[in-house]
Amino acid sequence: MRKYETIFIQSPSFDEETVKVNIEKFKGVIENGGATIENVDFWGKRKLAYEIKKVSEGYYTLIHFTSGPELPKELDRIFRITDGILRHIIVKEEA
């Protein structure tokens, strides 16, 4: 088992309820993949460093989790096919 963190940015056009539903969706993907979630940190709406698809704000969420090496690939796939995710990254934490 390895430690990972992921941060993703959701579209500012979403309302707070949709943002929370998406966070729960991604938490479910992580937990159903056999991982344990250590921390979920919702940062709220923040200004982006640069525009993405003509959008200058987004809802940021950071999740720390422990899993096997196959889960980040599946999580990446789900981030890519989910509408409204502007950017995402999954990083393996140093031991």
Side-chain angles (χ1 to χ4, degrees):
M1 299 294 265
R2 299 178 181 144
K3 290 188 176 211
Y4 294 92
E5 69 179 18
T6 182
I7 188 165
F8 55 95
I9 307 169
Q10 298 184 61
S11 173
S13 63
F14 290 164
D15 61 357
E16 291 278 337
E17 187 61 34
T18 306
V19 170
K20 298 222 182 289
V21 166
N22 280 339
I23 292 170
E24 290 302 317
K25 171 186 171 182
F26 297 126
K27 283 172 55 179
V29 169
I30 293 169
E31 289 171 342
N32 290 339
T36 57
I37 294 177
E38 297 170 11
N39 185 27
V40 177
D41 194 8
F42 178 63
W43 295 355
K45 189 185 253 188
R46 299 210 172 183
K47 187 164 175 42
L48 302 175
Y50 55 90
E51 285 190 2
I52 301 171
K53 299 178 186 175
K54 299 184 181 179
V55 175
S56 62
E57 290 184 325
Y59 290 100
Y60 284 70
T61 306
L62 173 68
I63 301 176
H64 292 270
F65 62 96
T66 304
S67 77
E70 64 286 334
L71 180 65
K73 293 174 189 167
E74 176 63 14
L75 187 59
D76 181 60
R77 184 186 74 78
I78 292 180
F79 278 136
R80 290 179 189 276
I81 63 173
T82 302
D83 290 334
I85 300 299
L86 300 177
R87 284 286 190 271
H88 72 280
I89 189 168
I90 304 168
V91 179
K92 184 176 92 172
E93 294 181 357
E94 293 296 320

